[in-house]
């Protein structure tokens, strides 16, 4: 399937010289997945809602200060390849070009809707993320924003005092709350500043009840609900206990699954690939294959490596966070670490990943031993 069958020439556009307040109002009014930014009539980049969570950005800032690049795709590119570049760039929309001219856009939602019928082959358990970051009802919005930035995610389950799921908070919730708060301040209905907003408890803005799914539900059913209700993700809970957080499945997880291929070599997907400095994609693939190759009973079906840049620097080299997640025949396994430069961060994460694999292997061995022991006892 070509992107020409999915892309649309209809999109939200804004000039780079416009103020950020205009962008906020567009997201509030139209809730687009992203906005195309033009300069002198030419494509310049995109802006998404997550960027509005940068608290130091003022409303009178010009849009050009927040422009981010997005992968350019052709109208005739394959859907699987476009899904890959969207995931690796962290973008929700991509500009679609016909030759050198901007023709339209393709969004994550449009791709998922187009392939929906094919998603019956997967269950949620096969692709959801089980390493979940959570907050409590008393957590401040400022802390929530830091968690979202630090982990490069867009939603957090909220737990009550009893440790059970009671709500969920998203980047959209925070941006929407901030816009409404600023409008009230301008009208004189409420005094205060950005610091007061950051101190508000997440309980006051979270969504409840929570939209959930279960591990054995089909991905098609889960995605249908996301698209129908305009959710970016669903909290995964055990079928018999909707208060326990087992994981999260997002549209990005599904997009990533679309890129899974049957190849002779390990399929590795890298998010924020532009942060690679002294290490290449092929070297990353070889290192991960080296770890998985040590354990014959573990077959890695897909590897996802995510890099995230912090503001801190050492002699000009940025502090990078790296997370490696493997999808294997034994379940998911992950490792993360930080270091100055992508290479160092990757090595730290890889070391933790190998330790986690060893732990997993030990657990499996213990389970097999217990099973053998019980069988022997049963023979007595």
């Amino acid at each position: 399937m070509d992107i020409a069958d999915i892309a649309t020439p209809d999109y939200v556009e804004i000039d780079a010289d416009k103020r950020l307040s205009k962008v906020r109002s567009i997201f509030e009014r139209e809730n687009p997945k992203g906005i195309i930014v033009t300069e002198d009539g030419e494509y310049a980049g995109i802006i998404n809602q997550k960027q509005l969570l940068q608290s130091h950005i003022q409303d009178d800032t010009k849009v050009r200060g927040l422009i981010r690049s997005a992968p350019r795709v052709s109208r005739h590119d394959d859907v699987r390849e476009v899904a890959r570049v969207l995931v690796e760039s962290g973008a929700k929309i991509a500009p679609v070009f016909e030759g050198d001219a901007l023709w339209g856009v393709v969004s994550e939602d449009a791709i998922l809707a187009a392939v929906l019928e094919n998603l019956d082959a997967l269950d949620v358990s096969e692709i959801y993320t089980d390493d979940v970051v959570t907050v409590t009802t008393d957590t401040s919005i400022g802390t929530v924003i830091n968690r979202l930035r630090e982990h490069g995610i867009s939603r957090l389950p909220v737990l009550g005092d009893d440790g059970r799921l009671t709500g969920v908070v998203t980047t959209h919730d925070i941006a929407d709350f901030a816009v409404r708060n600023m409008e009230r301040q301008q009208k004189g209905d409420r005094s205060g500043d950005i610091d007061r907003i950051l101190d508000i408890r997440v309980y006051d803005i979270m969504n409840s009840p929570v939209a959930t799914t279960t591990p054995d539900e089909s991905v098609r059913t889960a995605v249908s609900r996301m698209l129908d209700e305009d959710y970016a993700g669903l909290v995964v809970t055990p079928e018999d206990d909707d208060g326990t957080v087992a994981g999260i499945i997002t549209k990005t997880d599904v997009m990533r699954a679309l890129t899974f291929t049957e190849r002779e070599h390990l399929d590795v997907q890298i998010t924020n690939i532009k942060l690679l400095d002294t290490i290449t994609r092929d070297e990353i693939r070889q290192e991960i294959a080296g770890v998985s190759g040590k354990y014959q009973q573990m077959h890695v079906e897909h590897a996802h490596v995510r890099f995230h840049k912090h503001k801190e620097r050492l002699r000009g080299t940025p502090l990078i966070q790296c997370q490696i997640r493997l999808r294997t025949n034994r379940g998911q396994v992950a490792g993360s670490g930080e270091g100055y430069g992508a290479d160092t961060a990757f090595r730290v994460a890889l070391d933790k990943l190998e330790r986690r694999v060893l732990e997993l292997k030990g657990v499996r061995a213990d389970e097999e031993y217990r099973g053998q022991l019980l069988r022997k006892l049963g023979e007595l």
Side-chain angles (χ1 to χ4, degrees), residues 157-295:
V158 182
L159 307 183
D161 293 337
D162 57 359
R164 294 179 63 77
L165 179 65
T166 188
V168 65
V169 62
T170 70
T171 53
H172 177 72
D173 297 328
I174 298 172
D176 181 59
F177 176 78
V179 169
R180 287 186 283 108
N181 183 271
M182 291 174 185
E183 288 176 348
R184 284 196 294 267
Q185 288 183 30
Q186 291 170 1
K187 295 175 182 178
D189 295 333
R190 179 175 179 177
S191 61
D193 54 21
I194 192 65
D195 291 332
R196 178 172 296 182
I197 295 177
L198 297 179
D199 287 338
I200 292 174
R201 295 190 314 159
V202 71
Y203 177 82
D204 296 321
I205 69 167
M206 71 180 190
N207 290 295
S208 183
V210 184
T212 63
T213 184
T214 59
D216 59 351
E217 189 168 63
S218 75
V219 172
R220 177 180 179 176
T221 300
V223 171
S224 292
R225 187 174 185 194
M226 290 187 221
L227 294 175
D228 291 343
E229 304 294 335
D230 196 23
Y231 296 141
L234 301 172
V235 177
V236 181
T237 63
E239 188 171 1
D240 57 351
D241 183 6
D242 60 5
T244 297
V245 178
I248 282 185
I249 182 171
T250 66
K251 291 176 180 175
T252 301
D253 292 325
V254 183
M255 291 283 283
R256 188 176 297 122
L258 294 180
T259 70
F260 293 169
T261 56
E262 296 295 333
R263 299 181 180 178
E264 293 182 359
H265 60 75
L266 177 63
D267 183 23
V268 176
Q269 192 170 72
I270 302 174
T271 297
N272 293 327
I273 195 170
K274 63 183 179 181
L275 294 179
L276 297 188
D277 41 24
T278 59
I279 190 170
T280 66
R281 176 198 288 272
D282 192 53
E283 289 171 334
I284 288 175
R285 183 189 64 77
Q286 291 177 12
E287 292 286 357
I288 294 176
V291 169
S292 61
K294 295 179 182 179
Y295 313 104

Side-chain angles (χ1 to χ4, degrees), residues 22-65:
K22 177 69 173 177
V23 175
R24 294 189 193 278
S25 64
I26 290 175
F27 276 114
E28 168 73 8
R29 184 177 64 254
E30 303 181 39
N31 191 27
K33 302 305 176 185
I35 299 174
I36 294 290
V37 182
T38 58
E39 192 163 13
D40 297 327
E42 298 293 327
Y43 169 77
I46 66 169
I47 186 170
N48 60 42
Q49 197 169 42
K50 189 181 293 187
Q51 292 168 268
L52 301 184
L53 296 183
Q54 301 180 51
S55 58
H56 63 282
I57 302 296
Q58 301 299 316
D59 264 7
D60 60 355
T61 301
K62 289 189 176 182
V63 170
R64 66 161 42 87

Side-chain angles (χ1 to χ4, degrees), residues 43-47 51 66-72 89 91 93 95 274:
Y43 169 77
I46 66 169
I47 186 170
Q51 292 168 268
L66 284 182
I67 294 176
R68 60 168 292 181
S69 61
R72 297 187 178 206
S89 66
I93 65 170
K274 63 183 179 181

Side-chain angles (χ1 to χ4, degrees), residues 292-307:
S292 61
K294 295 179 182 179
Y295 313 104
Q296 296 180 357
Q297 293 183 344
M298 188 182 80
H299 171 64
V300 178
E301 300 164 351
H302 180 78
H304 177 229
V305 182
R306 176 185 173 275
F307 292 98

